[in-house]
Amino acid sequence: MSHLLSHIHNPTDLRLLKEDQLPQLAQELRDFIIDIVSVKEGHLGASLGVVELTIALHYIFNTPEDLLVWDVGHQAYGHKILTGRREKFDTNRQLGGISGFPKRSESVYDTFGVGHSSTAISAALGMALASHLKGDFEKQHIAVVGDASIASGMAFEGLNHAGVTDANLLVILNDNAIGIDPSVGALKNYFTAVKEGKNPKQNNMIKSLKFDYSGPIDGHDIFAVIKELRRLQKIKGPKFLHLLTTKGKGLQQAEENQVKYHAPGKFDKTTGEIHYKSEEHLPPKYQDVFGLTIVELAKQNEKIIGITPAMPTGSSLKYMMEAFPTRALDVGIAEQHAVTLSAGMATQGMFVFCNIYSTFLQRAYDQVIHDVALQDLPVIFCLDRAGLVGEDGATHHGVFDIAYLRCIPNMMVYAPLNEMALRNILYTAQLGLNHPIAIRYPRGRGVNVDWQKPFEKIEIGTGHCLKQGTKIAVITNGAIGNNVIEALSKLEHPETIAHYDFAFVKPLDEKLLHTIFNTFESIITLEDGVIKGGFGSAIVEFGKENGYTTSIKTLGIPDQFIEHGSIAELQKLCGIDAESLISVFEKA
């Protein structure tokens, strides 16, 4: 049997195959994804689940003239391989390599850049309406959306609008009952009822929105998928295809443990066994320190509530969900709802820890301002994955939160230097605060934690001197300060440099700042957020407002979107790793 995938460089080549050859291609494509991801790492389960759909879409539709939008993009590896990127797929998510998500600048087949959920329907509808305005009524516009993503408010906004248009739009629901964690909510229960035939046909929610609904059909029966796509291709107006798939299809372990194999790291491609790195002597992850500390505190404080929008495993709120299932809530991919739900609970005297990845809180910015800060409600935002996050790249780096939060009245912003400081600020927050607070902490590990050490209450708005010096003051915010500690330990003459930890971006320790400005010839600030409007900007503003002429150098993330690579590589690229800091200090 001849190999098919190696001869396919684009969808035009794909369309030369006979239909009965496609199952073989599907197997080869699955094997290729498993071969590469097992060694290079990446998002596995989602792409394995849509292999047949991916082939069928490019086989039936005239891409790239017909426009295909993948929601989120975790599932787009097969799409990338079939659209000219097979030979460089082994560079996926690596510095200088291809992106792990669809990206317009990378390929004409990537019609819309994605990485966050629930944008595909709106984007594809916009394309479809634009096509009509240009007089093109034949072009096809397809949005592939997961059952977790379609429950998000933005997806419903797109469906609501599309249903009253004559747009040539096809929404494909990739229904596998899971996002990263299992899907939750009433809509998930509705789709389950549809799948099991328990829902009367006349009670079809999608039809009521004026879509031509078809399905559910087996998404792994490539002939059935192709047959239905051919039929839908001829129908004008908004259409909706309900497709049933299995996340991780084709790798037994990935099918059986879909959460773990969403992005499993390196694994044995034959057995599926994950190559776990020994964690016996490693410090705990920041996310686990958060999750375990919240459980510890919740045992003593019955008013503590935990809320996460669809990230219980990634944020480690899963520990509280197991220990206190009625007090820890996964609300699905609904960041806006998560924030305002937290605000509502806070009005009733609850201590609400709203745990959201930094990059996802951007999706609920108005709610942070209007529903929390304006009413001065003491919601405790725990922003996981703050700073550079690595291989997921520009869509996931949590580098904007300092800048977009410190400008909000009433909002406090805190970044712990290490995990012990994280434990102490969580403890302090549940004692009662007068204002909302955002606690931002990075992906990864820092220092070992003494779980037996008593909690210490943190005084709001205080900074600390970590090292005395005579000439230059280095002021850092958050865990990136550990790069300074490392750099100073390697300097030949570190005595001229002082190091201050300003965990609070807001409120700033103004008393200590006056001392610093009056003592040192120059100041260097360091943060793992954007320089524009960030922590360093706050120090510069303080100096100018108080008439100081001290030289200030700000280090952080430059005014550009940072692409994918390891965290170490990206910190070096931005000049904020320890080795780069050594050079800065030696020249200062």
Side-chain angles (χ1 to χ4, degrees):
M1 186 181 293
S2 62
H3 198 270
L4 300 177
L5 183 59
S6 61
H7 298 289
I8 294 175
H9 303 284
N10 53 57
T12 302
D13 295 334
L14 169 64
R15 295 173 200 132
L16 296 176
L17 295 180
K18 295 177 181 178
E19 196 168 314
D20 62 8
Q21 293 178 290
L22 298 183
Q24 178 189 336
L25 177 63
Q27 185 61 54
E28 291 182 16
L29 184 54
R30 268 200 179 87
D31 291 343
F32 186 83
I33 293 170
I34 291 171
D35 284 350
I36 299 296
V37 177
S38 67
V39 176
K40 298 291 187 175
E41 304 187 8
H43 295 105
L44 178 69
S47 287
L48 294 182
V50 295
V51 163
E52 287 83 6
L53 174 61
T54 303
I55 293 171
L57 286 169
H58 286 294
Y59 191 71
I60 295 300
F61 294 102
N62 187 32
T63 56
E65 283 71 26
D66 289 335
L67 302 176
L68 173 60
V69 183
W70 298 92
D71 203 272
V72 184
H74 286 147
Q75 74 279 48
Y77 286 4
H79 160 80
K80 291 200 169 205
I81 293 163
L82 294 176
T83 55
R85 287 163 280 184
R86 173 173 47 81
E87 293 182 356
K88 54 185 175 183
F89 187 67
D90 62 346
T91 70
N92 183 44
R93 303 173 82 242
Q94 297 179 23
L95 186 68
I98 64 172
S99 170
F101 299 96
K103 186 176 180 182
R104 279 173 55 82
S105 61
E106 188 176 290
S107 172
V108 68
Y109 290 93
D110 292 357
T111 63
F112 199 75
V114 293
H116 294 182
S117 86
S118 315
T119 62
I121 297 174
S122 296
L125 176 60
M127 295 170 184
L129 294 176
S131 292
H132 278 203
L133 289 171
K134 293 190 290 186
D136 187 344
F137 299 95
E138 300 304 318
K139 186 188 291 287
Q140 305 283 333
H141 312 83
I142 307 104
V144 182
V145 188
D147 57 285
S149 294
I150 205 168
S152 175
M154 186 177 179
F156 263 83
E157 292 170 21
L159 289 172
N160 182 58
H161 182 195
V164 294
T165 72
D166 58 355
N168 198 8
L169 172 71
L170 170 60
V171 175
I172 298 177
L173 174 63
N174 174 34
D175 186 356
N176 58 21
I178 190 169
I180 296 176
D181 287 279
S183 301
V184 298
L187 190 64
K188 179 246 186 177
N189 294 339
Y190 167 78
F191 285 129
T192 299
V194 171
K195 284 186 281 190
E196 296 175 352
K198 297 177 180 177
N199 202 73
K201 288 189 176 181
Q202 63 270 25
N203 184 30
N204 189 296
M205 181 177 179
I206 304 301
K207 284 186 177 180
S208 70
L209 293 173
K210 305 302 181 185
F211 276 75
D212 184 306
Y213 173 89
S214 61
I217 65 172
D218 181 357
H220 300 301
D221 183 343
I222 195 165
F223 302 117
V225 175
I226 284 175
K227 181 180 178 181
E228 187 58 21
L229 290 180
R230 279 201 178 109
R231 187 186 74 82
L232 292 169
Q233 191 179 30
K234 301 172 185 176
I235 297 174
K236 301 298 184 184
K239 298 151 293 208
F240 190 101
L241 172 59
H242 188 171
L243 211 67
L244 306 183
T245 65
T246 300
K247 188 171 183 178
K249 181 71 174 179
L251 185 66
Q252 183 179 350
Q253 289 84 346
E255 293 185 35
E256 294 174 350
N257 197 329
Q258 296 174 331
V259 174
K260 186 178 293 185
Y261 282 81
H262 171 74
K266 296 179 180 179
F267 62 95
D268 187 301
K269 66 181 181 181
T270 303
T271 66
E273 182 180 354
I274 296 174
H275 299 318
Y276 289 107
K277 300 172 184 175
S278 175
E279 298 184 359
E280 185 177 354
H281 302 293
L282 293 177
K285 296 177 181 178
Y286 276 92
Q287 68 185 66
D288 288 337
V289 173
F290 161 79
L292 295 170
T293 301
I294 290 300
V295 172
E296 189 177 343
L297 295 171
K299 290 176 181 177
Q300 307 299 324
N301 186 344
E302 63 182 14
K303 290 186 176 182
I304 287 179
I305 302 291
I307 292 175
T308 181
M311 299 301 293
T313 300
S315 69
S316 292
L317 193 68
K318 63 181 180 180
Y319 297 123
M320 187 177 178
M321 292 175 72
E322 294 166 358
F324 301 101
T326 62
R327 292 164 56 192
L329 312 173
D330 177 2
V331 301
I333 301 177
E335 292 87 357
Q336 295 178 343
H337 169 62
V339 171
T340 304
L341 179 71
S342 300
M345 286 189 161
T347 68
Q348 302 305 302
M350 307 304 259
F351 296 101
V352 188
F353 290 82
C354 184
N355 186 208
I356 301 180
Y357 284 13
S358 168
T359 186
F360 296 151
L361 187 65
Q362 296 164 188
R363 295 159 65 89
Y365 191 53
D366 182 60
Q367 285 67 32
V368 172
I369 295 174
H370 181 271
D371 299 336
V372 176
L374 183 61
Q375 303 183 85
D376 210 5
L377 296 171
V379 173
I380 306 158
F381 293 103
C382 297
L383 306 188
D384 198 343
R385 309 305 202 265
L388 296 167
V389 299
E391 291 82 359
D392 279 345
T395 57
H396 283 63
H397 294 316
V399 297
F400 301 106
D401 54 73
I402 294 177
Y404 73 66
L405 289 173
R406 82 173 186 88
C407 63
I408 302 175
N410 296 329
M411 179 64 69
M412 298 185 290
V413 182
Y414 179 92
L417 178 67
N418 52 44
E419 288 92 331
M420 293 302 296
L422 174 59
R423 277 174 58 78
N424 287 331
I425 194 64
L426 295 173
Y427 166 76
T428 302
Q430 58 86 49
L431 293 176
L433 298 173
N434 296 322
H435 308 287
I437 187 171
I439 304 167
R440 66 186 305 270
Y441 47 93
R443 179 188 180 197
R445 309 172 192 271
V447 299
N448 277 311
V449 173
D450 182 355
W451 297 97
Q452 304 305 315
K453 185 177 181 179
F455 288 111
E456 297 178 9
K457 183 179 179 181
I458 291 176
E459 185 178 347
I460 301 299
T462 56
H464 302 281
C465 180
L466 300 179
K467 178 189 172 297
Q468 298 287 346
T470 58
K471 182 180 176 184
I472 301 165
V474 180
I475 308 176
T476 63
N477 169 256
I480 196 71
N482 291 290
N483 287 7
V484 171
I485 294 173
E486 180 183 348
L488 291 176
S489 72
K490 297 178 179 179
L491 277 184
E492 188 174 348
H493 298 290
E495 61 275 1
T496 61
I497 300 177
H499 182 196
Y500 291 86
D501 170 37
F502 271 59
F504 281 97
V505 176
K506 188 179 182 181
L508 286 169
D509 187 338
E510 296 192 355
K511 181 179 179 181
L512 183 55
L513 277 178
H514 279 297
T515 299
I516 293 170
F517 273 89
N518 283 314
T519 303
F520 295 93
E521 299 175 14
S522 63
I523 293 171
I524 299 172
T525 69
L526 176 67
E527 60 198 295
D528 59 354
V530 290
I531 295 175
K532 300 288 187 183
F535 169 69
S537 289
I539 303 301
V540 171
E541 290 164 11
F542 174 87
K544 289 187 176 180
E545 289 168 2
N546 289 278
Y548 292 111
T549 58
T550 311
S551 169
I552 304 175
K553 181 180 182 66
T554 58
L555 301 176
I557 310 302
D559 188 24
Q560 65 190 66
F561 289 107
I562 306 300
E563 299 300 337
H564 46 279
S566 70
I567 293 176
E569 289 172 330
L570 298 180
Q571 285 189 355
K572 184 175 182 179
L573 192 67
C574 295
I576 58 176
D577 64 307
E579 292 302 316
S580 298
L581 293 174
I582 289 173
S583 177
V584 171
F585 297 157
E586 288 176 342
K587 294 175 182 177

